[in-house]
């Protein structure tokens, strides 16, 4: 159950307090206050959890400052779309806006292997006018005997070079809560030249303790990757763990699921779920074409299959693309076969541009002007 | 093993006969002659099957009229792409061209229920300038107690109305060989006012006897739907059954596969395989967004999810779209929830047009001019 | 809706006719008369299909000769277990009884390759006191270029040798309706020395036309194999097609399903469904350990994995085992790697015997004495 | 690569040191010393990891004290079975022996809800002569709004009651490393009246950081549950993470996998993998019939489906059974529908006994006498 206040109500104000006092007496119900900052306005919401069937909507709606009361289904209470809520807000991080209208390409290294690779990658991004990238320091690997990433030792030069080349947001996987602190410390030591989006990998999609930890901090936004063997609903429920701890700056990432029916691709590409996630939740949707396809096959029409599945996501409204590049894919320490070369970056970006333009035309033709919602 | 002759060689000529005589003596090898008609030229190929490892490439290549000898892998001998073969030929049927460059929308009724529905549908198609449709007369249903289609009794008015509204090709499922004869007879009785593409449904994807039967006739092209619980490779192997019996006028159709990981969609949308099928085979690729998605959900951006997955296939180069419409979806006898209304047809077609244009731009940007190959 | 008559009522009698007359007037309802022969008594049932919600149970139950009226769910009308029905009947064929209490091992050749193999197999069976076997004449294969079975040409010697070695029932796959006639003719020509159980393979599990054909004849019982990529419910619905055409002498066979999660086995072993099928339907349940496991791996405890999964089915009450043997597995033309050698037959049968004994002990311990139901 | 020493060689002795000195000079290779304690004898092994292709087997085998050198595949280095290794050792914990010959039933509460439930459960176990149980204190749940377990607050009474009723080992899930310390502290505070086997749940099967943590401690053995959406090979690779950190006291647990093909069961029962895990690894194998089946359906033969799948695992050699009971299943806070009642415990145990006896007979018939290996 969500109680939405008028836009002039303050989180610490008397109206909010009065509602909190009121529901405190209801047995089996607990309350959390959330301040939502949209593009044009901000507002306060109170989430009631528990046996809310005994709470009266009418009584609450009569209380001072309350604009509307929304009953939500059991699932996706915070990340879900519920009738009557404010327009999808999104968030801004380090100067970059993430919402269901935006589109950002995060091209970068699956695994950081050397300072040289990082610098080559970032230089290429700057030349292409990009301010976002992916950089893997902590790598969860199927076998304990595989390369596990350079960990915190590479953070100083990754952040330094990001600052040098104007990168504002780096998507970086964490596999343990302690790494959030390592990243925070390394960023501070480097003078905060860039920002980090904490990535939760598919193997940790139901590692609820880790989800709670990244949910409790608000400094870094979180990129949540769908679990590879669970349904979309189960993944959204897991993602809700992050939001339920307080952090709502979340991007939901599709990356293919495990099934032999998806062969010859490495995973079964699930980008038909892009519009589904946008319909069920208020989260921006990212896709990872590299881990989905897992191979660098070329179509007879001259486009890579990785580019085709990227186009499939963008034409359906994806908001973020996480894609592997490497200066020398054959030497990459992890997932080399799926990495594109730096020389392929301009073509990749131009392809995304063409498709995004078509997506905007599709929306216009349907009378849904891009950007109009924000005004 | 494929022996490709020079373009002036005739199927019945002496050069071909000489090669046939030569291989007749090789134990465990059998030969089949195929005449391939491309857009610009025709040529003759001999397929050798069996223990071809004892056959000498060099000896064959020295023989008169032989242009090239191609060793093919065990799989997809005829439908597959093999290095050294002529450009992908495609085929023309009743004035409509099907190949890996074309794009046709087959909007129509999943199941024919009444003359009125058929006429309303065909009138709408004519108004939109379309000459292709889908019409289901024979319906395989999960339970024996469900409506099984009107069968041959509806063919007379379906064909008559097709002629009246200028429809040239109707995709129509057959579930038994005898139905091919029923269709042939009904077409003849109606004065051949239209054409039929025989559709093999997903449940019969490995009904090899039916595949052989539609492969032995050459009158009707075949639309082969991927099996719902088997890999792409197994489906392509099954499709090869049709070609191995002689009929190469085949379109391969993706329609989603069965997996709970695809929920909330009815099937797991597999359109990332569009470029894969075009890379592995020489077949045009069709997609069925209605049976994949199975629901009429609307995205927040104003487009239907059925339209989004259609766009995903078209942006990656799909050549044919099989989509359910119905004048009154709530009264449809089969799969009503996934059918679009006739009033939605112009918007659907305009959306496909926008996306196709973007696909052509993508190819141009990559230096692969549409249509250039045919010249 | 099922109307069950008293045991003295005859299928052609006046009581049955009176009910048929009564329901003829109900719009949207059709009726079929079935005579059920159980071990101890026989009885007549009328099945009503269609809009039976308008039919009055009470009115029917007051009619002469009617014992009970049972409303059945949409699914599995005939093969399903419904409250209030007679005890599970089963059937007898050529002197062999098949029901949910029996256990028969059908060891034999996946594919008939030569008269010598057939004779060696049957001799071994006779020496082990067995009267049932499997023999594949018609083989559906994934690729059109693989060995497709000897077809009707091998039937004469298969049937002759079966007679010579006292085999009473041969499980034999058919992939086209015409093969039923070929089998009937070859049996007659050989003087009917044995019997045949028609097997519907997994690839034809939803080939509804073939199911209807084997359902329309009553001469041969049918062994229906679960579809490899569909749910149990969908397979049972397909199996109902056979029964709905009149033939109720059906055995339902589990053979593993396709999923990478079952590796290293060829298919994902689904024998936990043995008690499920016995609970949902009245059909005897067969299992195929050879096609499920697909490999001849030996456990550290000295038993083959094929034997372990067989034991798993038998300990849970399976009624029939279809298992591949071959005199020289390395020379088999089909599925050699999964075939056991003839020298392994006695050990295999002894293992089944030990496990079956334990299953009977489990039932006794639960107060459910084996065979008691038949008395 | 594994270097196995003669049984008289000591871990700290000169022979071992000499080999360590030898391999220290090989670039890219690291070494770990393991002391293996079997039932009858102990021995020392050195594991070489890295680029061992440059290490000479012959040179090592000539060194003093070395009995044999075994090259192992990349996977399952420590948990795997490798030719030439000592017989499977197993381990003993708190007076209970776990190996590939043993069989233990861990009946208990999926989630601890009250002291009363715990006491009722433990009293029933004592009356049945059992010394092992399962008790869930930390519950990972799909939704953040579901009951998450009582956590450390219930540990004092759980351990106290375990002591009172003679329980020696409690299987208990941990979802975060900090809980290992909580358990250690609570056990110490209670005077160590019982023992705990740390359970890693299916959602954490690839939470490698947690696996490393439970691998670094040697106090508690670990019960590792297969991942629900990954292959057996991937699960075994994950399990190897635990062993590679030093703790080899591991039991591998099958609990069904996620697939709609397993319906109507909650998960697809994968117990055909019992002999596979015993063939591929040296680990004892546990099964969880409650989470696999997830429902309390009764077979027509009077046995529960949960009992049937348990029997299927035991007849194939399972070594441990984890099964849910509850004094009042309808009031359980988690997974009530799958819990058996306490009154059903004696019947369940008797059923397991009958089946285990049959398994031992099967082994004897194959000449593999139970227990002989230990002599």
């Amino acid at each position: 159950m969500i109680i939405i206040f008028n836009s002039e109500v303050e989180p610490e104000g008397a109206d909010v307090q009065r509602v909190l006092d009121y529901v405190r007496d209801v047995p089996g119900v607990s309350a959390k206050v959330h301040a939502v900052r949209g593009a044009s306005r901000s507002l306060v919401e109170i989430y009631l959890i528990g046996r809310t069937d005994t709470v009266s909507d009418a009584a609450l709606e009569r209380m001072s400052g309350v604009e509307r009361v929304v009953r939500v289904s059991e699932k996706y209470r915070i990340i879900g779309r519920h009738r009557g809520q404010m327009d999808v807000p999104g968030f801004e991080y380090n100067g970059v806006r993430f919402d269901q209208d935006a589109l950002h390409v995060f091209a970068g290294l699956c695994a950081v292997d050397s300072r040289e690779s990082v610098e080559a990658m970032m230089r290429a991004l700057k030349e292409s006018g990009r301010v976002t990238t992916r950089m893997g320091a902590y790598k969860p690997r199927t076998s304990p005997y595989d390369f596990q990433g350079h960990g915190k030792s590479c953070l100083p030069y990754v952040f330094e070079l990001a600052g040098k080349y104007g990168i504002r947001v780096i998507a970086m996987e964490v596999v343990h809560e302690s790494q959030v602190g390592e990243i925070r410390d390394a960023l501070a030591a480097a003078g905060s030249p860039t920002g980090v989006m904490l990535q939760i990998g598919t193997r940790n999609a139901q590692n609820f303790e880790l989800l709670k930890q990244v949910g409790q901090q608000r400094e870094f936004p979180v990129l949540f990757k769908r679990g590879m063997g669970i349904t979309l609903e189960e993944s959204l429920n897991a993602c809700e763990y992050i939001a339920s701890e307080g952090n709502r700056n979340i991007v939901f990432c599709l990356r293919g699921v495990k099934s032999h029916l998806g062969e010859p691709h490495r995973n079964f590409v699930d980008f038909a779920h892009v519009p589904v996630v946008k319909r069920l939740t208020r989260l921006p949707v990212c896709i990872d074409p590299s881990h989905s396809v897992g191979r660098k096959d070329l179509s007879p029409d001259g486009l890579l299959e990785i580019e085709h599945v990227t186009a499939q996501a963008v034409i359906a409204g994806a908001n973020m693309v996480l894609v592997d590049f490497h200066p020398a894919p054959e030497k990459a320490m992890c997932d080399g076969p799926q990495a594109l070369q730096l020389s392929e970056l301009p073509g990749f970006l131009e392809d995304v541009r063409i498709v995004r333009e078509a997506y905007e035309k599709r929306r216009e033709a349907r009378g849904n002007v891009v950007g109009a919602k924000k005004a």
Side-chain angles (χ1 to χ4, degrees), chain A:
Chain A
M1 195 171 189
I2 307 173
I3 301 151
I4 304 167
F5 289 84
N6 297 327
S7 54
E8 60 271 23
V9 169
E10 293 296 320
E12 311 294 335
D15 287 343
V16 172
Q17 194 53 48
R18 212 169 296 120
V19 170
L20 288 175
D21 291 345
Y22 175 80
V23 297
R24 185 173 305 126
D25 297 337
V26 187
V29 169
S30 65
K32 265 196 186 175
V33 179
H34 286 280
V36 188
R37 235 164 310 148
S40 55
R41 57 174 194 151
S42 300
L43 49 73
V44 177
E45 297 175 353
I46 292 182
Y47 278 69
L48 298 189
I49 291 170
R51 318 194 47 187
T52 56
D53 46 320
T54 60
V55 180
S56 157
D57 298 33
L60 285 169
E61 287 192 335
R62 275 193 303 269
M63 292 178 76
S64 166
V66 172
E67 184 178 306
R68 212 179 306 113
V69 171
V70 181
R71 289 210 173 264
V72 298
S73 66
E74 280 309 293
K75 30 186 201 183
Y76 329 145
R77 280 191 198 149
I78 303 174
I79 64 172
R81 272 178 187 264
H82 307 293
R83 216 177 285 273
Q85 276 187 313
M86 190 176 86
D87 265 356
V88 177
F91 62 92
E92 195 169 303
Y93 175 65
N94 210 24
V96 182
R97 173 134 205 99
F98 296 88
D99 58 29
Q100 289 196 342
D101 278 339
L103 175 60
H104 302 287
V105 175
F106 280 61
L109 304 181
C110 176
V112 169
D113 47 6
S114 70
R115 184 185 172 99
E116 290 66 40
S117 292
V118 173
E119 180 145 26
M121 185 73 232
M122 291 193 176
R123 190 185 305 118
L125 289 168
K126 188 180 172 67
E127 285 165 6
S128 292
R130 298 287 144 171
V131 298
T132 52
T133 188
R134 69 169 305 184
M135 288 285 154
Y138 310 94
K139 302 303 302 176
R141 301 300 297 280
T142 302
S143 164
Y145 307 116
D146 290 336
F147 171 64
Q148 311 268 323
H150 284 317
K152 70 173 170 179
S153 71
C154 69
L155 297 183
Y157 64 78
V158 168
F159 294 155
E160 175 212 324
L161 291 167
K164 178 173 172 188
Y165 292 101
I167 301 296
R168 308 187 103 166
V169 188
I170 303 172
M172 181 177 281
E173 179 162 2
V174 290
V175 294
H176 190 266
E177 66 210 53
S178 61
Q179 294 155 359
V180 180
E182 290 176 9
I183 289 171
R184 186 182 295 118
D185 293 348
L187 266 181
S192 297
T194 187
V196 170
M197 180 179 278
L198 302 174
Q199 184 180 320
I200 301 295
T202 189
R203 292 178 184 80
N204 285 308
Q206 289 191 312
N207 177 352
F208 301 132
E209 300 304 311
L210 181 58
L211 298 178
K212 288 179 197 167
Q213 298 287 342
V214 297
Q216 280 161 19
Q217 60 84 38
R218 309 254 187 134
E219 188 175 351
F220 305 110
V222 180
L223 179 64
F224 175 88
K225 281 194 159 186
R226 175 179 185 175
M228 68 175 108
I230 55 176
T231 61
L232 184 62
E233 180 177 327
E234 289 163 328
S235 285
L236 291 173
N237 267 315
C239 190
E240 177 84 7
Y241 266 93
I242 303 169
S244 73
E245 295 289 333
N247 189 349
R248 294 175 172 208
N249 294 353
I250 305 169
V251 177
F252 188 89
C253 184
L254 298 166
R255 46 82 71 205
V257 297
K258 275 192 77 76
S259 169
H260 61 294
L261 297 176
E263 292 168 6
H265 291 154
R266 179 174 171 187
N267 287 290
F268 199 134
V269 181
D270 56 351
F271 300 166
H273 280 161
V274 167
V276 177
V277 177
K278 292 178 81 171
R279 170 167 62 83
L280 296 177
T281 80
R282 306 193 287 174
L283 306 178
V285 180
C286 176
I287 55 115
D288 179 341
S290 304
H291 286 80
S292 305
V293 170
R295 306 153 47 107
K296 245 191 96 175
D297 289 309
L298 188 68
S299 287
D301 57 12
L303 290 147
L304 293 168
E305 282 176 23
I306 287 176
E307 292 175 311
H308 275 309
V309 301
T310 302
Q312 291 184 320
V314 172
I315 201 70
N319 307 112
M320 182 172 151
V321 176
L322 202 68
V323 56
D324 289 3
F325 275 76
H326 197 279
E330 69 289 356
K331 292 185 195 156
M333 298 188 74
C334 171
D335 291 334
Q338 73 196 26
L340 275 62
Q341 291 181 287
L342 298 187
S343 60
E344 293 170 305
L345 181 58
F348 182 88
L349 293 172
E350 168 63 8
D351 193 53
V352 166
R353 196 198 58 74
I354 294 171
V355 180
R356 173 67 183 186
E357 193 178 79
Y359 172 64
E360 295 182 357
K361 257 193 214 165
R362 296 179 66 210
R363 298 216 303 189
E364 277 168 46
R366 210 45 67 93
N368 199 336
V369 183
V370 178
K373 282 200 274 183
K374 296 183 205 156

